[in-house]
Amino acid sequence: LLEQLGVKLELLPDGSERWHGCGKDTARCFGSVLAQTPEYLLAGRWTPPCCLRALRATARHVLAQLEAAGVRHWLEGGSLLGAVRLGDLIPWDYDVDVGLYREDVPKCRWLAAVAATGRPVEDAQGFLWEKAPEGDFFRVHFSRSNRLHVDLWPFRADPRGVMTKETWLGHRQDVEFPERFLVPLGSVPFAGVVAKAPNEPRAFLEFKFGPGVVENPEYPNPAVRRLAQDLGNG
């Protein structure tokens, strides 16, 4: 019955919790994301709590690895939007986006290994680092079985003082931006830790998404489904 209803988290009478969703040894709770829209959004639901838990764990792990290695990095896209709005993931998100300086990639042992061999590498905690098949960026999965992930986008500063990269996927926020947003880097609360971020996160978000995005967020592809449909406003 719980499976039929899509219930992933059960709150027991004694206050404890029982999870019925995905874990390290299972697949994630949703299939391929089509047109930037996961199937749970099409069903009028937000991200299952077990998937959010796995995304938070993967994000915290990746951010800690980059920080320890001295890699300059920052929250990107919807992940930064969630941090500014909630100090957490946006409740309908399906991945985490992190930007980093391309020249710092060799500083991280896992990224360096993937870049050198082209093959995925599993670290000691069971997270899987790989080169993304869609282009020139990296991806870190919760596990080999569970492909909830963090995307790592290598940027470089061009002579104009603009941050650019090699792969563009056509997302509305996927644009070049002035390096001044990163010099110096700032920080924001995110998923239980303090994460590196652009120094003016609201201005950065409005540069990428447009004015008012913090107060009025939208699903990744409004042409497929709009947030207002699930808030009773459309």
Side-chain angles (χ1 to χ4, degrees), residues 209-224:
F209 289 96
V213 64
V214 175
E215 289 74 25
N216 299 289
E218 185 51 89
Y219 287 157
N221 189 348
V224 175

Side-chain angles (χ1 to χ4, degrees), residues 22 26 30 32 39 48 57 107 113 139 149-150 154 158-159 162 178 221:
C22 63
T26 72
F30 56 95
S32 298
E39 59 191 21
K107 295 181 179 180
R139 183 165 284 157
H149 60 263
V150 174
D158 72 9
V162 170
N221 189 348

